């Protein structure tokens, strides 16, 4: 497919990635997202929002954009507030769904197509997948031999509903926007989906999820959409 055709095709889902100073890890994230088996033919785009004043990721994005037909957009904002850059990514996204993946995460095969299929199948407003750690030493630390501190896995069946009140935290683990996909029309239909009041001290994810839950939005678990 030519770049012109890829640009003309409206993406079904937009992947938004935030970056500050982990460009070496961001490259791993993006190159695995761009592998064909990650999306399985689902039309998608990637929007990278760089939060570093020196625009550290700009060169990487330009290099990768020259090697792929997947639309790859680079944006930057130096203000140190995660909600600001999340909102910038959302407003730039063209897909009817937005998926977030952190810049230190790499998706398993079929990650994006599984999130997309889950939302299409269930009609839910948001879907969440598990996050498992990879340790540089090859093994978890002795003080946490199972790697529990770094793992988020509810071990629920596919499409299981997540009832936020009483289930936001399961065994001490809270949901967030990392490895999650949202329906834009129902979740991001305001000027400021993530409140900037929380963006410089964390808590913006929890605030958004509670606000969505209070308005009756449905969340589901997608165990096949794994990141590491």
């Amino acid at each position: 497919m030519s770049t012109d055709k890829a640009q003309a095709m409206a993406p079904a889902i937009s992947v938004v990635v935030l970056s500050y100073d982990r460009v070496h890890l961001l490259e791993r994230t993006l190159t695995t997202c761009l592998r064909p088996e990650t999306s399985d033919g689902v039309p998608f785009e990637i929007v990278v929002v760089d939060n570093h004043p020196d625009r550290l990721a700009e060169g990487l994005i330009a290099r990768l954009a020259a090697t792929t037909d997947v639309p790859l957009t680079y944006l930057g904002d130096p203000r140190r507030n995660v909600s600001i850059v999340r909102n910038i990514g959302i407003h730039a996204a063209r897909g009817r769904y937005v998926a977030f993946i952190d810049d230190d995460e790499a998706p398993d095969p079929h990650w994006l197509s599984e999130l997309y299929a889950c939302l299409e199948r269930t009609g839910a407003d948001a879907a969440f997948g598990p996050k498992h750690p990879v340790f540089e030493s090859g093994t978890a630390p002795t003080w946490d031999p199972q790697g529990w501190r770094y793992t988020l896995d509810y071990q629920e069946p596919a499409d299981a509903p997540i009832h936020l009140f009483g289930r936001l935290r399961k065994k001490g683990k809270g949901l967030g926007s990392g490895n999650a996909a949202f329906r834009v029309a129902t979740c991001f239909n305001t000027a400021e989906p993530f409140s900037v009041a929380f963006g410089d001290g964390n808590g913006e994810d929890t605030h958004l999820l509670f606000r969505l839950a209070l308005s009756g939005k449905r969340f589901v678990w997608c165990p096949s959409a794994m990141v590491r």
Side-chain angles (χ1 to χ4, degrees), residues 14-17 30 33-34 44-48 70-74:
S14 302
V15 178
V16 173
V17 190
L30 297 178
C33 283
L34 290 170
F44 76 106
E45 66 176 349
I46 299 177
V47 178
V48 177
V70 174
L72 186 54
T73 299
Y74 174 85

Side-chain angles (χ1 to χ4, degrees), residues 18-68:
L18 310 183
S19 176
Y20 181 63
D21 59 358
R22 299 190 292 196
V23 177
H24 63 298
L25 293 177
L26 174 65
E27 182 168 8
R28 168 177 171 262
T29 301
L30 297 178
T31 54
T32 48
C33 283
L34 290 170
R35 290 174 182 168
E37 61 270 23
T38 302
S39 59
D40 291 328
V42 174
F44 76 106
E45 66 176 349
I46 299 177
V47 178
V48 177
V49 188
D50 193 344
N51 199 201
H52 198 284
D54 295 331
R55 300 172 67 90
L56 296 180
E58 189 169 18
L60 169 65
I61 306 311
R63 175 164 57 83
L64 291 178
T67 67
T68 180

Side-chain angles (χ1 to χ4, degrees), residues 9 13 40-41 48 53 62-63 68 108-109 130 135 170 180 196 201:
M9 181 183 295
I13 186 167
D40 291 328
V48 177
R63 175 164 57 83
T68 180
D108 273 12
F135 296 98
K170 182 176 181 180
V196 298

Side-chain angles (χ1 to χ4, degrees), residues 50-202:
D50 193 344
N51 199 201
H52 198 284
D54 295 331
R55 300 172 67 90
L56 296 180
E58 189 169 18
L60 169 65
I61 306 311
R63 175 164 57 83
L64 291 178
T67 67
T68 180
D69 285 338
V70 174
L72 186 54
T73 299
Y74 174 85
L75 300 169
D77 194 297
R79 291 172 291 178
R80 293 294 291 145
N81 184 303
V82 68
S83 290
I84 289 176
V85 288
R86 284 196 199 281
N87 292 337
I88 287 173
I90 290 168
H91 293 315
R94 297 181 296 142
R96 63 180 179 273
Y97 304 117
V98 165
F100 289 104
I101 185 169
D102 292 340
D103 65 354
D104 63 345
E105 296 172 342
D108 273 12
H110 321 299
W111 166 72
L112 194 61
S113 57
E114 289 295 319
L115 282 174
Y116 174 78
C118 180
L119 289 172
E120 289 280 286
R121 182 174 60 246
T122 63
D125 299 288
F128 301 83
K131 299 191 285 188
H132 284 211
V134 176
F135 296 98
E136 289 184 338
S137 65
T139 59
T142 55
W143 55 268
D144 184 12
Q146 303 302 316
W148 180 89
R149 170 66 178 78
Y150 306 95
T151 301
L152 174 62
D153 193 340
Y154 281 10
Q155 299 184 344
E156 296 283 355
D159 305 339
I162 300 174
H163 302 291
L164 198 60
F165 302 106
R167 287 291 304 279
L168 176 64
R169 300 184 70 82
K170 182 176 181 180
K171 297 181 180 179
K173 294 303 181 71
L175 286 177
S177 60
N179 194 18
F182 297 83
R183 189 180 299 271
V184 172
T186 59
C187 296
F188 297 149
N189 54 357
T190 62
E192 189 181 279
F194 287 91
S195 173
V196 298
F198 293 88
D200 59 355
N202 294 324

Side-chain angles (χ1 to χ4, degrees), residues 192-195 198 203-213:
E192 189 181 279
F194 287 91
S195 173
F198 293 88
E204 78 287 347
D205 295 25
T206 302
H207 177 264
L208 171 71
L209 295 181
F210 270 114
R211 180 169 59 79
L212 294 176

